[in-house]
Amino acid sequence: MNDYNFGKYLSIYFLRYIPSKMDYSENTVKAYRDTFTIFLRYCTEVLNLKPEKLTLKEINKDLIETFLNWLIDEKRYSVRTRNQRLAAFHSYFRFLQTEVPEYLDVCNSVFSIKAKKVSNIEQMTYLSIDAIRKLLDAPNRKTIRGKRDLAILTLLYDTGARVQEIIDLKASDLRLSSPATVTLIGKGQKVRVIPITAQTVAIMESYLDSYQLSNEKSVTTPIFFNKQHKKLSRAGITYILKKHYEAARKDNPDLFPSKISPHALRHSKAMHLLEANVNLIYIRDFLGHASISTTEVYAKANPEIKRKAIETASKNILPEEVLSEDKKESLLNWLKEFI
C-alpha cells in the first residue's frame, strides 16, 4: 500500500468533490473545513506531525478516535460538536474509498466510529428573562463598539436566529419601519421573515447611525463587521457574547450557567415563547425548524412547563380539600408534636 500524501487528497476533496455535492450547504462546508483545520493543528501542536508530511497511512481509525477524544477531554467540546467533527471525517473517507480503493479497509474502519448519543435536554443551555436583561445591560451603549455588540446580542435573542443567520445578514434584510422585520436565510436557503420589537428597532437604529449605515444599502453590505470591514465570523460573535456574559455573570453569578454559546440565546427565546403559552407550531416556524419534533424538545426540557402541566392535570383528578380551618390547625399542632 503506497503512502499517499494526505494534503493532496484533502485538496481534491474540497476543490473537486465537495463542489459536486449539491446537497452540501455553505454552513456544512465551513464546518468540514474547520474540522480539518483543527485536526491539522492537533497533529502539529500535540503530535508534532507536520501537515505537509502526513500520509494517508497515518490517518487511520486510531488517530481519528484519539483526536475526537482530545476534543472532549482537553478542549471541552460538547458531544454534539464531536459528532459534527466525526461527520466531516466520514464524508472525507466516503470520497477516499472511491478515489483510492486500496484504502477501502481503512475507510471501513473509520466508518465504524460511531456518533455518541446526545441528550437534547441535557445539552440545552438557556437563560432566564432576568439573565437576558443583565446580559443586554452589559455592553457600553455610549461607545460605537458597545452599540454594535448590543445590536448583535439583541438580534440573536429577539429573532431566535442561528449565529450563521446573523453573520450573513445584509443591510437590505432589515426593515425598521412599521411593521419592523428582519429577513433570515436559514438551513437549506429557507427564508423566514421575523418581526422585531420596538426596543430592538431603537437599538438597531442607534447602531446604524453610529456606523453611518443604512438599511437601504446594497444587498452586499454586511450589517455586522470587524475592523477590516469584513463580516464577523462565528468565533468573533462567540467572543463578543462571552465578553459581555462574563461581565454580567461576575455581578450576578447565580443567574448564569457556567458556560454560554450564541445558540443559548436561541434556546432562551424559544423557552420564553413557550412559557408565554405561544403554540409550538408558531415557535417551530419562528425558529425555522423543519419538524415539530425538534421544537418539542423545548417543552420536554423546561421544568416550569412540566410543573404547570402536572398542576393542570391534578386539578381535574385530585379531590378538593374538605378540612375546615379548625381541623387544619389541629392537624398542624399534631404534626409539630410528633415530627
Side-chain angles (χ1 to χ4, degrees), residues 108-245:
N108 288 334
S109 69
V110 173
F111 297 148
S112 71
I113 304 174
K114 301 299 183 184
K116 291 183 178 291
K117 187 175 181 180
V118 179
S119 167
N120 287 325
I121 295 175
E122 292 176 1
Q123 290 288 317
M124 190 178 295
T125 299
Y126 60 95
L127 305 179
S128 66
I129 291 176
D130 286 341
I132 291 291
R133 290 195 184 105
K134 295 294 183 183
L135 177 65
L136 298 183
D137 281 341
N140 185 350
R141 303 185 184 205
K142 295 180 180 180
T143 67
I144 292 180
R145 190 61 56 84
K147 290 180 180 180
R148 182 203 66 179
D149 293 357
L150 176 61
I152 290 171
L153 298 180
T154 300
L155 268 188
L156 274 171
Y157 171 72
D158 197 25
T159 64
R162 302 176 179 92
V163 65
Q164 191 63 47
E165 293 170 348
I166 294 296
I167 289 171
D168 292 338
L169 273 180
K170 305 296 188 299
S172 58
D173 293 327
L174 273 182
R175 175 193 169 98
L176 299 182
S177 58
S178 183
T181 61
V182 59
T183 301
L184 301 175
I185 311 297
K187 291 182 176 180
Q189 297 299 299
K190 291 182 179 178
V191 178
R192 64 188 192 279
V193 179
I194 303 297
I196 53 177
T197 64
Q199 295 95 321
T200 299
V201 169
I203 289 169
M204 292 306 302
E205 287 178 337
S206 176
Y207 163 71
L208 294 174
D209 288 344
S210 296
Y211 279 83
Q212 296 182 332
L213 297 172
S214 168
N215 63 307
E216 297 176 354
K217 277 195 172 185
S218 163
V219 294
T220 61
T221 305
I223 290 182
F224 301 116
F225 47 83
N226 56 23
K227 293 179 180 178
Q228 290 74 40
H229 282 265
K230 295 181 179 179
K231 68 180 182 181
L232 287 172
S233 63
R234 288 171 176 266
I237 288 187
T238 300
Y239 171 79
I240 290 168
L241 170 61
K242 287 187 175 180
K243 178 176 69 174
H244 297 299
Y245 158 79

Side-chain angles (χ1 to χ4, degrees), residues 321 323-339:
E321 288 186 345
L323 291 177
S324 66
E325 291 301 318
D326 289 342
K327 287 184 178 180
K328 283 183 182 179
E329 186 66 27
S330 176
L331 179 58
L332 285 172
N333 290 334
W334 182 84
L335 289 171
K336 290 177 182 177
E337 182 178 349
F338 288 99
I339 296 179

